[in-house]
Amino acid sequence: MMQRLNPTNPLRIVAGRSSRMPTPSPSQTPLHRSTPTPQTPLPRFTPTPQTPLPRFTPTPQTPLPRSTLTPQTSPPRSSPTPQPSVTTLSSRRYTNKISLFLFVFHMVAAVGLVSFLIFKGIQGLIEASESVKRKERNILKFYLPQVEAASLLSITLAFAWQKAVRQWPRIMVHFILWSSSFLSLSAGILLICFQKATTDAVGVCLIAFAIGNGLYACWVTPRIGFCTDILIKSLEPVPKLGDLNRPTYCMLGVGFLWMSLWILAVIGAMNFYLTPVVIIALVLSLTWTAEVMRNIVNLTVSRVIVLYYLRGMQSSTLSCFQRAVTLNLGSACLGSLFVPTIEALRIVVRGLNLLEGEDEFMFSCAHCCLDVLQCIFRYGNGWAFVQIAAYGKGFVQASQDSWHLFQRQGMEPIVDSDITSSVCFLAGVCSGSICVIAVAAWTARVHQTYTATLSLLSFFIGYLMTRIAMALPQACVSCYYVCYAENPSNILFDKTIQDHQTVMAADHDVEPTPRLPHRFSA
């Protein structure tokens, strides 16, 4: 490096002293002429030759013996766990649009059919022959008043049952279970006393139902205490929400008006072709419409109660009602077709489960129905309306998510043994039986020929109206179960469910409805 230094570099290196001295440039000559002192030139630095280092020669290494690797089996591929969907309490999308379209199309067709049949009835009163006019007048005179009276009586009974359940739940659960059996038995005996083939057939059906109802009341007696506790706890938010019953008033008013027009359509169908087919179509249409109205009340109440439990807020009942009749109406329509079928299957399966083991055929049928019930409960159940009202999910997705919450908290035996829906159903049976007793006694005095028809119709009307009113307590209980399963640590919940889980695990006093055959259970 020192040999490559530029000789004109002003730095001079002194090897002995290790110092650097600057050399004056020609421009730095002094002003006066002076005689420079001679300087001894510095010796040029000569580097000492260095002996090169020997090149490193690596020593050869003996290669390691190749080890025999044992083949490793790849871990089994696990099925992906379903990730929960992102949910929000303010979803603005329409649910189950196909069901919504079908219901709207059905209502357009029903309104058209009812209008046409009313026109045919009026035409029969004006332009038909004297015999047809006489028949029409008899129907209007001895048919319409009883049906309208049954509608008004059923509305009164609906509010009475709901008010009584909210005020005295511990008494009313026992009363409804046993009075439904007594009232249906009384109605059946009254119809048999008329000694006609049609009334005897209806009376025998009511007596058979009363016997089965009494057996069911005996069977569910151990569950009444827990059901009453949950009902009392779930109804606590209702007094804080003063206008929570307004959707019920609205739906009952609409139901009464539609049922009045429906009765006129039934009268007009008696002067039309294929009268039985037309009347069956009208009955099915009214059933679906009434169930949709009941589930609209269910969704409205569920929305208000869910926001109270999950957010601690008192939301507007009117806004929740508007949401139920617009965004969530499709789910209400689809659920109105599924849920009654599911409830009927639960009753059948529980009855078959009691008979299991006595007959091989009944044994196989019980297992088959249990498997079907398991599948149905996974994809469609009454608990779905809480998730629909809260998060705006579709009916099937809401059913699956609700059941997954129950499985996660180990609440399946509890929700299987709940009898709140049965109590609401039997309250409708009580109203229907009372309407049968009143209408049958009235019709037997004025026109006994119509007794059987009007008895069936009045029972049907009384049941549907009461079910609409009883949607409020049923929705409160459903919200309590689902919201508890979602967040058991909420301060609004007590230890009622937790204590009952402990009791069921220790004593097995309450036998849950099985969804799997016993040979597959652990």
PDB file of all heavy atoms in Angstrom, residues 243-262:
ATOM      1  N   ASP A 243     -94.953  -1.899  25.895  1.00  0.00           N
ATOM      2  CA  ASP A 243     -95.698  -2.075  24.651  1.00  0.00           C
ATOM      3  C   ASP A 243     -95.363  -3.385  23.962  1.00  0.00           C
ATOM      4  O   ASP A 243     -95.547  -3.523  22.751  1.00  0.00           O
ATOM      5  CB  ASP A 243     -95.394  -0.923  23.706  1.00  0.00           C
ATOM      6  CG  ASP A 243     -93.900  -0.784  23.409  1.00  0.00           C
ATOM      7  OD1 ASP A 243     -93.104  -1.407  24.131  1.00  0.00           O
ATOM      8  OD2 ASP A 243     -93.548  -0.044  22.468  1.00  0.00           O
ATOM      9  N   LEU A 244     -94.910  -4.373  24.698  1.00  0.00           N
ATOM     10  CA  LEU A 244     -94.497  -5.633  24.085  1.00  0.00           C
ATOM     11  C   LEU A 244     -95.681  -6.428  23.553  1.00  0.00           C
ATOM     12  O   LEU A 244     -95.511  -7.313  22.707  1.00  0.00           O
ATOM     13  CB  LEU A 244     -93.721  -6.469  25.106  1.00  0.00           C
ATOM     14  CG  LEU A 244     -92.875  -7.625  24.571  1.00  0.00           C
ATOM     15  CD1 LEU A 244     -91.856  -7.131  23.570  1.00  0.00           C
ATOM     16  CD2 LEU A 244     -92.189  -8.365  25.700  1.00  0.00           C
ATOM     17  N   ASN A 245     -96.892  -6.125  24.016  1.00  0.00           N
ATOM     18  CA  ASN A 245     -98.074  -6.877  23.587  1.00  0.00           C
ATOM     19  C   ASN A 245     -98.753  -6.255  22.376  1.00  0.00           C
ATOM     20  O   ASN A 245     -99.733  -6.815  21.882  1.00  0.00           O
ATOM     21  CB  ASN A 245     -99.087  -6.957  24.727  1.00  0.00           C
ATOM     22  CG  ASN A 245     -99.510  -8.384  25.015  1.00  0.00           C
ATOM     23  OD1 ASN A 245     -99.205  -9.303  24.266  1.00  0.00           O
ATOM     24  ND2 ASN A 245    -100.228  -8.582  26.095  1.00  0.00           N
ATOM     25  N   ARG A 246     -98.282  -5.134  21.876  1.00  0.00           N
ATOM     26  CA  ARG A 246     -98.945  -4.492  20.738  1.00  0.00           C
ATOM     27  C   ARG A 246     -98.925  -5.343  19.475  1.00  0.00           C
ATOM     28  O   ARG A 246     -99.925  -5.374  18.741  1.00  0.00           O
ATOM     29  CB  ARG A 246     -98.296  -3.135  20.477  1.00  0.00           C
ATOM     30  CG  ARG A 246     -98.626  -2.097  21.535  1.00  0.00           C
ATOM     31  CD  ARG A 246     -98.047  -0.736  21.176  1.00  0.00           C
ATOM     32  NE  ARG A 246     -98.346   0.250  22.208  1.00  0.00           N
ATOM     33  CZ  ARG A 246     -97.923   1.512  22.171  1.00  0.00           C
ATOM     34  NH1 ARG A 246     -97.189   1.936  21.142  1.00  0.00           N
ATOM     35  NH2 ARG A 246     -98.234   2.352  23.132  1.00  0.00           N
ATOM     36  N   PRO A 247     -97.824  -6.034  19.145  1.00  0.00           N
ATOM     37  CA  PRO A 247     -97.895  -6.923  17.974  1.00  0.00           C
ATOM     38  C   PRO A 247     -98.962  -7.999  18.108  1.00  0.00           C
ATOM     39  O   PRO A 247     -99.587  -8.386  17.103  1.00  0.00           O
ATOM     40  CB  PRO A 247     -96.486  -7.534  17.915  1.00  0.00           C
ATOM     41  CG  PRO A 247     -95.612  -6.554  18.607  1.00  0.00           C
ATOM     42  CD  PRO A 247     -96.453  -5.963  19.692  1.00  0.00           C
ATOM     43  N   THR A 248     -99.205  -8.479  19.330  1.00  0.00           N
ATOM     44  CA  THR A 248    -100.259  -9.478  19.524  1.00  0.00           C
ATOM     45  C   THR A 248    -101.621  -8.878  19.232  1.00  0.00           C
ATOM     46  O   THR A 248    -102.468  -9.513  18.568  1.00  0.00           O
ATOM     47  CB  THR A 248    -100.200 -10.010  20.967  1.00  0.00           C
ATOM     48  OG1 THR A 248     -98.877 -10.480  21.250  1.00  0.00           O
ATOM     49  CG2 THR A 248    -101.182 -11.142  21.156  1.00  0.00           C
ATOM     50  N   TYR A 249    -101.874  -7.656  19.720  1.00  0.00           N
ATOM     51  CA  TYR A 249    -103.144  -6.989  19.420  1.00  0.00           C
ATOM     52  C   TYR A 249    -103.322  -6.829  17.913  1.00  0.00           C
ATOM     53  O   TYR A 249    -104.414  -7.087  17.370  1.00  0.00           O
ATOM     54  CB  TYR A 249    -103.194  -5.606  20.079  1.00  0.00           C
ATOM     55  CG  TYR A 249    -103.042  -5.605  21.578  1.00  0.00           C
ATOM     56  CD1 TYR A 249    -102.454  -4.530  22.236  1.00  0.00           C
ATOM     57  CD2 TYR A 249    -103.481  -6.680  22.345  1.00  0.00           C
ATOM     58  CE1 TYR A 249    -102.302  -4.517  23.615  1.00  0.00           C
ATOM     59  CE2 TYR A 249    -103.336  -6.679  23.719  1.00  0.00           C
ATOM     60  CZ  TYR A 249    -102.748  -5.601  24.353  1.00  0.00           C
ATOM     61  OH  TYR A 249    -102.595  -5.587  25.707  1.00  0.00           O
ATOM     62  N   CYS A 250    -102.271  -6.407  17.246  1.00  0.00           N
ATOM     63  CA  CYS A 250    -102.350  -6.177  15.804  1.00  0.00           C
ATOM     64  C   CYS A 250    -102.645  -7.468  15.052  1.00  0.00           C
ATOM     65  O   CYS A 250    -103.521  -7.516  14.180  1.00  0.00           O
ATOM     66  CB  CYS A 250    -101.048  -5.547  15.319  1.00  0.00           C
ATOM     67  SG  CYS A 250    -101.008  -5.192  13.554  1.00  0.00           S
ATOM     68  N   MET A 251    -101.928  -8.530  15.386  1.00  0.00           N
ATOM     69  CA  MET A 251    -102.126  -9.791  14.672  1.00  0.00           C
ATOM     70  C   MET A 251    -103.497 -10.404  14.956  1.00  0.00           C
ATOM     71  O   MET A 251    -104.125 -10.980  14.067  1.00  0.00           O
ATOM     72  CB  MET A 251    -101.025 -10.787  15.061  1.00  0.00           C
ATOM     73  CG  MET A 251     -99.655 -10.437  14.508  1.00  0.00           C
ATOM     74  SD  MET A 251     -99.543 -10.533  12.700  1.00  0.00           S
ATOM     75  CE  MET A 251     -99.624  -8.793  12.259  1.00  0.00           C
ATOM     76  N   LEU A 252    -103.987 -10.281  16.170  1.00  0.00           N
ATOM     77  CA  LEU A 252    -105.318 -10.806  16.466  1.00  0.00           C
ATOM     78  C   LEU A 252    -106.399 -10.011  15.739  1.00  0.00           C
ATOM     79  O   LEU A 252    -107.397 -10.580  15.270  1.00  0.00           O
ATOM     80  CB  LEU A 252    -105.568 -10.794  17.971  1.00  0.00           C
ATOM     81  CG  LEU A 252    -104.817 -11.863  18.775  1.00  0.00           C
ATOM     82  CD1 LEU A 252    -105.092 -11.706  20.265  1.00  0.00           C
ATOM     83  CD2 LEU A 252    -105.208 -13.263  18.323  1.00  0.00           C
ATOM     84  N   GLY A 253    -106.223  -8.688  15.637  1.00  0.00           N
ATOM     85  CA  GLY A 253    -107.187  -7.886  14.885  1.00  0.00           C
ATOM     86  C   GLY A 253    -107.197  -8.249  13.411  1.00  0.00           C
ATOM     87  O   GLY A 253    -108.268  -8.427  12.800  1.00  0.00           O
ATOM     88  N   VAL A 254    -105.999  -8.380  12.829  1.00  0.00           N
ATOM     89  CA  VAL A 254    -105.910  -8.786  11.421  1.00  0.00           C
ATOM     90  C   VAL A 254    -106.466 -10.191  11.236  1.00  0.00           C
ATOM     91  O   VAL A 254    -107.172 -10.477  10.248  1.00  0.00           O
ATOM     92  CB  VAL A 254    -104.454  -8.700  10.936  1.00  0.00           C
ATOM     93  CG1 VAL A 254    -104.306  -9.284   9.540  1.00  0.00           C
ATOM     94  CG2 VAL A 254    -103.986  -7.254  10.936  1.00  0.00           C
ATOM     95  N   GLY A 255    -106.177 -11.078  12.195  1.00  0.00           N
ATOM     96  CA  GLY A 255    -106.701 -12.438  12.104  1.00  0.00           C
ATOM     97  C   GLY A 255    -108.212 -12.482  12.164  1.00  0.00           C
ATOM     98  O   GLY A 255    -108.855 -13.267  11.448  1.00  0.00           O
ATOM     99  N   PHE A 256    -108.824 -11.652  13.005  1.00  0.00           N
ATOM    100  CA  PHE A 256    -110.286 -11.628  13.092  1.00  0.00           C
ATOM    101  C   PHE A 256    -110.906 -11.140  11.787  1.00  0.00           C
ATOM    102  O   PHE A 256    -111.888 -11.726  11.288  1.00  0.00           O
ATOM    103  CB  PHE A 256    -110.717 -10.728  14.254  1.00  0.00           C
ATOM    104  CG  PHE A 256    -112.206 -10.566  14.365  1.00  0.00           C
ATOM    105  CD1 PHE A 256    -112.986 -11.575  14.887  1.00  0.00           C
ATOM    106  CD2 PHE A 256    -112.826  -9.397  13.942  1.00  0.00           C
ATOM    107  CE1 PHE A 256    -114.358 -11.438  14.988  1.00  0.00           C
ATOM    108  CE2 PHE A 256    -114.187  -9.241  14.037  1.00  0.00           C
ATOM    109  CZ  PHE A 256    -114.960 -10.263  14.560  1.00  0.00           C
ATOM    110  N   LEU A 257    -110.347 -10.079  11.182  1.00  0.00           N
ATOM    111  CA  LEU A 257    -110.882  -9.575   9.916  1.00  0.00           C
ATOM    112  C   LEU A 257    -110.725 -10.603   8.794  1.00  0.00           C
ATOM    113  O   LEU A 257    -111.662 -10.839   8.013  1.00  0.00           O
ATOM    114  CB  LEU A 257    -110.184  -8.269   9.544  1.00  0.00           C
ATOM    115  CG  LEU A 257    -110.425  -7.076  10.475  1.00  0.00           C
ATOM    116  CD1 LEU A 257    -109.606  -5.869  10.022  1.00  0.00           C
ATOM    117  CD2 LEU A 257    -111.909  -6.722  10.508  1.00  0.00           C
ATOM    118  N   TRP A 258    -109.544 -11.208   8.715  1.00  0.00           N
ATOM    119  CA  TRP A 258    -109.326 -12.187   7.666  1.00  0.00           C
ATOM    120  C   TRP A 258    -110.197 -13.418   7.867  1.00  0.00           C
ATOM    121  O   TRP A 258    -110.701 -14.011   6.900  1.00  0.00           O
ATOM    122  CB  TRP A 258    -107.852 -12.580   7.617  1.00  0.00           C
ATOM    123  CG  TRP A 258    -107.542 -13.657   6.620  1.00  0.00           C
ATOM    124  CD1 TRP A 258    -107.128 -14.923   6.881  1.00  0.00           C
ATOM    125  CD2 TRP A 258    -107.628 -13.553   5.195  1.00  0.00           C
ATOM    126  NE1 TRP A 258    -106.933 -15.622   5.727  1.00  0.00           N
ATOM    127  CE2 TRP A 258    -107.238 -14.803   4.662  1.00  0.00           C
ATOM    128  CE3 TRP A 258    -107.995 -12.533   4.317  1.00  0.00           C
ATOM    129  CZ2 TRP A 258    -107.210 -15.060   3.302  1.00  0.00           C
ATOM    130  CZ3 TRP A 258    -107.955 -12.784   2.959  1.00  0.00           C
ATOM    131  CH2 TRP A 258    -107.575 -14.031   2.457  1.00  0.00           C
ATOM    132  N   MET A 259    -110.417 -13.808   9.116  1.00  0.00           N
ATOM    133  CA  MET A 259    -111.242 -14.981   9.375  1.00  0.00           C
ATOM    134  C   MET A 259    -112.707 -14.715   9.046  1.00  0.00           C
ATOM    135  O   MET A 259    -113.432 -15.621   8.585  1.00  0.00           O
ATOM    136  CB  MET A 259    -111.095 -15.404  10.843  1.00  0.00           C
ATOM    137  CG  MET A 259    -111.352 -16.876  11.092  1.00  0.00           C
ATOM    138  SD  MET A 259    -110.641 -17.424  12.651  1.00  0.00           S
ATOM    139  CE  MET A 259    -108.908 -17.366  12.273  1.00  0.00           C
ATOM    140  N   SER A 260    -113.165 -13.477   9.238  1.00  0.00           N
ATOM    141  CA  SER A 260    -114.543 -13.132   8.862  1.00  0.00           C
ATOM    142  C   SER A 260    -114.722 -13.253   7.348  1.00  0.00           C
ATOM    143  O   SER A 260    -115.728 -13.815   6.877  1.00  0.00           O
ATOM    144  CB  SER A 260    -114.874 -11.715   9.330  1.00  0.00           C
ATOM    145  OG  SER A 260    -114.724 -11.604  10.745  1.00  0.00           O
ATOM    146  N   LEU A 261    -113.767 -12.738   6.578  1.00  0.00           N
ATOM    147  CA  LEU A 261    -113.842 -12.888   5.123  1.00  0.00           C
ATOM    148  C   LEU A 261    -113.701 -14.356   4.717  1.00  0.00           C
ATOM    149  O   LEU A 261    -114.343 -14.814   3.749  1.00  0.00           O
ATOM    150  CB  LEU A 261    -112.734 -12.056   4.459  1.00  0.00           C
ATOM    151  CG  LEU A 261    -112.818 -10.535   4.660  1.00  0.00           C
ATOM    152  CD1 LEU A 261    -111.598  -9.862   4.044  1.00  0.00           C
ATOM    153  CD2 LEU A 261    -114.101  -9.979   4.048  1.00  0.00           C
ATOM    154  N   TRP A 262    -112.877 -15.082   5.452  1.00  0.00           N
ATOM    155  CA  TRP A 262    -112.677 -16.498   5.147  1.00  0.00           C
ATOM    156  C   TRP A 262    -113.968 -17.294   5.343  1.00  0.00           C
ATOM    157  O   TRP A 262    -114.286 -18.198   4.556  1.00  0.00           O
ATOM    158  CB  TRP A 262    -111.568 -17.027   6.048  1.00  0.00           C
ATOM    159  CG  TRP A 262    -111.179 -18.447   5.802  1.00  0.00           C
ATOM    160  CD1 TRP A 262    -110.333 -18.913   4.846  1.00  0.00           C
ATOM    161  CD2 TRP A 262    -111.627 -19.590   6.537  1.00  0.00           C
ATOM    162  NE1 TRP A 262    -110.210 -20.280   4.939  1.00  0.00           N
ATOM    163  CE2 TRP A 262    -110.991 -20.715   5.963  1.00  0.00           C
ATOM    164  CE3 TRP A 262    -112.490 -19.774   7.618  1.00  0.00           C
ATOM    165  CZ2 TRP A 262    -111.205 -22.009   6.446  1.00  0.00           C
ATOM    166  CZ3 TRP A 262    -112.700 -21.049   8.093  1.00  0.00           C
ATOM    167  CH2 TRP A 262    -112.064 -22.150   7.516  1.00  0.00           C
TER     168      TRP A 262
END
